[in-house]
Amino acid sequence: MPPELVSPAVRTRAAKTGAADRTKARARAVRHRTLLVYGSRLAVLALVLGLWEWFARTGVIDPFNFSMPSKIWDQIKQWTLHGTAQGPLGEQIWYTLYEALFGWIIGVVAGVVLGIALGRVRFLADVFGPYVKVLNALPRIVLAPIFLIWFGLGPASKVASAVVLVFFPVFFNAFQGAREVDRNLVANARILGASNRRVTFQVVIPAATSWIFTSLHVSFGFALIGAIVGEYIGATKGIGLLVSASQGTFNAAGVYAAMVILAVVALVAEGLLTFLEKRLFRWKPAQPGTNR
Amino acid sequence: MSSDPSSDPSGARQSAPQSAPSRDTSSPAIELRGAGKAFRTPSGALHTAVRDLDLTVGRGEFVAVVGPTGCGKSTTLTLVSGLEEPTEGEVLVAGEAVRGINPDVGFVFQQDAVFPWRTVLSNVMAGPRFRGVARAEARERARDWLARVGLTAFADRYPHQLSGGQRKRVALAATFVNDPDILLMDEPFSALDVQTRALMSDELLDLWAGTGSSVVFVTHDLEESIALADKVVVMTAGPATVKEVFTIDLPRPRKVEEVRLQPRFVEIYREIWSSLGEEVRITRERGAGHAA
Ligand SMILES: Nc1ncnc2c1ncn2[C@@H]1O[C@H](COP(=O)(O)OP(=O)(O)O)[C@@H](O)[C@H]1O
Ligand SMILES: [Mg+2]
């Protein structure tokens, strides 16, 4: 009912329905905006892929070097249906994931434990601080070839490179988190009767978890990099090996296909972490603008 | 921390009642003898926060400490609690020099010091749990105190889901559940709105009446201090020392909103303000001097 047709006698009702209408209109506007954002995202993707395909087919860019989306898609399909030269695709993904996950867990545990310990115990921080700084200054990715020599072609060398990449960001965040715990909370816990150990486990660690979680997101990406680079240098299985094997046969589509697979794996892992974080941080106020 | 059982005041109370008058019952709850505290500033210079403090708090007495902002009231409380050590003089609690945190002391902090990752019930349980009380008993005691502060329905909420007044109630319950002989309160209600503050003051008086504990209540609100206390201690502008002590002879039980209207209250107010106002003015002029 258009508002101009409402008689004055039902004005209050009209005002009410008017308010309801406005709420609805607002909800509709939000929905529209969401649709628009998703639509535009899809359009950008389609445009980039389309241009890529078109340029490659018309020879504007060299399809041998740059490949094209359709070829990459064919490559993924072929790997999925008929397996790769090194075995089934699932196995390659599993190997990389396994190395990354294993290295990530070791790196995270070591980083959190040492970060909290150095953050809590001044003496340890004073002794080990300079060494940590020096090690952090090294470009750690160059350790991958050394690990290959030490631990061989198997998963151990990849796990090791993942560990060194994961350790430092986690360590620094845990250290910072332990340092920046609200002094009031620590004082309160001590007054309430908490021993030093209890303060560490029941105040410092819970307070540092949001710091630590920030680094977990980034560091899983690092673990994947560590595993992939390790595999790329020398391996018998894994996505990194797919990349180097494709490169060796001048199969550009293979390299891109491996990258796409890797991106999907990383996104899924990120999603899992976010889910876990939401469960763990129920005590936190919701961020403004998000529903809970 | 007094791990030596012979220094435990409650043990002394039982073991030596008829021999030489027990220090425990004859000595005042808190005694400061020429106590002072200087902090080392980042630049390395010494900054005196409080000096030459002489103050006695009797058993079961409610003492309010008023003074201009930044004069050293919080510092005085941290000396009594054992969170900080005096750099000069002596601080005695129940006749014993304070060494580390005394388990008979409770402390309500100015800022929120509830643990945000614990539910309301779990926050109130924290003290007993830190002191090794079994979970079931701790829960029972916590529920009892939650009922007394009227938060039974909120037991499973997280602190961020409460109002400021409710969070303060949680802090009160978490402190009282430990059954402290000495209760230190650092501007506990200063962050609350006026109505809530009056309500909480009445509640505090009710809770305190049942315990027989000695209270040191720091505030910069003179009305609040007169309405609550047996004795009002006026401190000088920083570095603070005790300027004057006023005895408040208003009858108990009191209701803060009513006591405020009594002629005697106004008389006392005028008398104390003539002492405190001068210090406030000095502090303000200094602040203006800094700003200029
Ligand atoms: N940990 C500290 N380190 C250095 N200076 C401090 C510290 N705590 C307090 N002070 C200083 O001591 C003075 C008194 O502080 P405080 O006791 O908090 O005052 P109030 O509680 O009366 O407002 C202030 O000048 C403050 O800057
Ligand atoms: Mg203060």
Side-chain angles (χ1 to χ4, degrees), chain B residues 147-225:
Chain B
R148 288 199 223 182
V149 298
L151 284 180
T152 304
F154 297 87
D156 294 328
R157 300 270 191 106
Y158 285 98
H160 79 262
Q161 298 166 317
L162 303 181
S163 70
Q166 289 170 325
R167 274 202 294 273
K168 266 282 123 70
R169 288 203 175 91
V170 175
L172 284 184
T175 300
F176 274 106
V177 75
N178 273 334
D179 233 344
D181 289 342
I182 289 173
L183 189 55
L184 307 175
M185 308 187 82
D186 190 359
E187 309 199 27
F189 307 143
S190 63
L192 304 178
D193 61 87
V194 181
Q195 286 94 3
T196 314
R197 195 191 295 191
L199 206 69
M200 295 291 300
S201 302
D202 282 338
E203 277 181 34
L204 171 64
L205 285 180
D206 284 347
L207 294 178
W208 168 68
T211 61
S213 54
S214 320
V215 182
V216 181
F217 187 103
V218 161
T219 175
H220 59 250
D221 181 346
L222 182 52
E223 277 196 30
E224 186 179 48
S225 73

Side-chain angles (χ1 to χ4, degrees), chain B residues 70 73-75 110 186-187 218:
Chain B
K73 303 181 295 295
S74 299
T75 306
Q110 181 172 7
D186 190 359
E187 309 199 27
V218 161

